[in-house]
Amino acid sequence: MAEASTVRRLRIERGEDRVTATLDRPETRNAIDQTMIDELHALCAELEEDPRILILIGSGGIFASGADIAQLRDRRAQDARAGINTTAFRRIRALPMPVIAAVDGYALGGGAELAYAADIRIGTPGTRIGNPETGLGIIAAAGATWRLPQIVGEARAAELLLTGRQLSATEALAWGLLSSLHEPDDLLAAAHAIADRIAANDPLATRHTKTALLAPPDRHPEIELELQAELFESTEKHRRMTAFLERRSRR
C-alpha cells in the first residue's frame, strides 16, 4: 500500500518502487515558482538516497504552464547566474532511476524544460509543448538549448526555440518529443504501466543503463564495459539468467 502525503506545491505518493509527484498549483496552471523548485530539490534528495522510479504529472489537465512570470519578472542577473530552475532540472535528469513525465495540456517554457529532463515523456491528444521565452525577452535557459537538440535534432530544436511556437500532440509524437499518446483519464495509468515494466527488471541494471545513456560521447564504450563488468559479477544476473534457462527448458 502506497503512503500518500501532501505538500504545498507537490502532491507526492510514495510506493515501494516508485514515487508519483503531481504539480499542484491549479490557480496558476501549475506555474513553477521558487517553492515548487525547493520541493523538487527535497524530492530529489529523497530519491538520491532511496532510488525509485519518478513519475511527474500535473493537476487539472495541465502539466506546467511555465515558470511563475510574477517571480521571473523581478529576477535580476544574479538570479540568472544562480540557475534556479536549471539546477533542479539537472538534478532530476541525474536521478539514479528513470523519470517519466506524463504530459497533459500545456507544457510551456519551464514546464517544457522540466519535461525535457525526464527520460520518458508520454502525452495526451491535448498536449501542447513549446518554449515561448524569446517572446518574453529571455531565453530558454533551464535545459532546452542543449536537451532539445538531443531529443528532436538541431534543426527542429532551433525552429521551436527561435519561433516560440507550440507543438501539438501529434507533432510532438512525430518529432519524438513524446513516445506515446493516451486519453487524459488513462495517462497516469499508462505512466504506471511503463513504471511496471521498468520495475520488473533488475534495479542495478536499470541504474547502470541510465548511467550509460547520460554519459558524454567520449566515455563510450569504456563506460559500458565497466558497468557490464560489475553486472557480470552480480548474483542477480546469475539468478535471472538461470531462471530464464529453466523456463526455456520447460517449453
Side-chain angles (χ1 to χ4, degrees):
M1 180 70 65
E3 173 193 354
S5 64
T6 303
V7 293
R8 188 177 174 190
R9 295 292 190 257
L10 300 178
R11 284 190 283 111
I12 300 176
E13 183 177 353
R14 296 174 174 87
E16 183 177 347
D17 57 24
R18 74 198 63 175
V19 170
T20 302
T22 302
L23 283 61
D24 194 24
R25 292 190 73 203
E27 71 281 3
T28 64
R29 296 184 173 185
N30 301 329
I32 299 169
D33 66 350
Q34 182 65 63
T35 301
M36 189 181 289
I37 290 294
D38 293 342
E39 292 176 3
L40 286 170
H41 275 297
L43 179 57
C44 285
E46 176 184 334
L47 294 176
E48 289 159 357
E49 181 70 21
D50 181 13
R52 283 164 287 171
I53 300 160
L54 173 60
I55 297 173
L56 294 169
I57 193 168
S59 63
I62 295 173
F63 185 70
S65 59
D68 190 306
I69 301 300
Q71 291 187 2
L72 200 58
R73 181 185 58 184
D74 295 332
R75 289 178 181 168
R76 309 297 293 177
Q78 66 270 22
D79 299 307
R81 295 188 178 101
I84 294 170
N85 289 4
T86 301
T87 304
F89 298 169
R90 289 185 72 177
R91 199 170 180 183
I92 288 167
R93 181 65 170 156
L95 285 172
M97 289 292 281
V99 179
I100 303 165
V103 183
D104 190 15
Y106 291 111
L108 302 176
E113 291 179 299
L114 175 57
Y116 302 157
D119 300 288
I120 299 168
R121 288 165 298 280
I122 61 175
T124 73
T127 299
R128 298 292 181 272
I129 192 163
N131 291 91
E133 282 89 344
T134 53
L136 295 170
I138 59 174
I139 68 170
T145 56
W146 77 87
R147 287 200 184 101
L148 196 54
Q150 294 172 352
I151 298 167
V152 302
E154 291 184 3
R156 283 175 163 170
E159 179 185 341
L160 201 61
L161 294 173
L162 294 174
T163 65
R165 77 179 182 92
Q166 298 174 22
L167 291 182
S168 68
T170 54
E171 288 175 313
L173 183 65
W175 284 24
L177 196 50
L178 299 174
S179 59
S180 59
L181 298 180
H182 308 270
E183 291 303 316
D185 290 345
D186 300 328
L187 182 63
L188 184 56
H192 278 294
I194 294 171
D196 288 341
R197 295 195 65 169
I198 294 170
N201 298 325
D202 174 25
L204 184 59
T206 298
R207 290 178 61 175
H208 281 3
T209 298
K210 179 164 180 177
T211 297
L213 283 168
L214 295 182
D218 62 359
R219 292 198 63 196
H220 299 285
E222 288 78 10
I223 189 168
E224 285 89 354
L225 303 183
E226 287 304 315
L227 294 169
Q228 191 78 300
E230 181 181 344
L231 292 168
F232 270 21
E233 296 295 326
S234 73
T235 57
E236 182 65 8
K237 169 249 190 180
H238 187 271
R239 185 193 71 79
R240 285 175 176 262
M241 289 190 176
T242 300
F244 172 84
L245 292 171
E246 289 174 349
R247 287 194 303 270
R248 190 173 67 177
S249 68
R250 291 194 294 266
R251 290 176 185 170

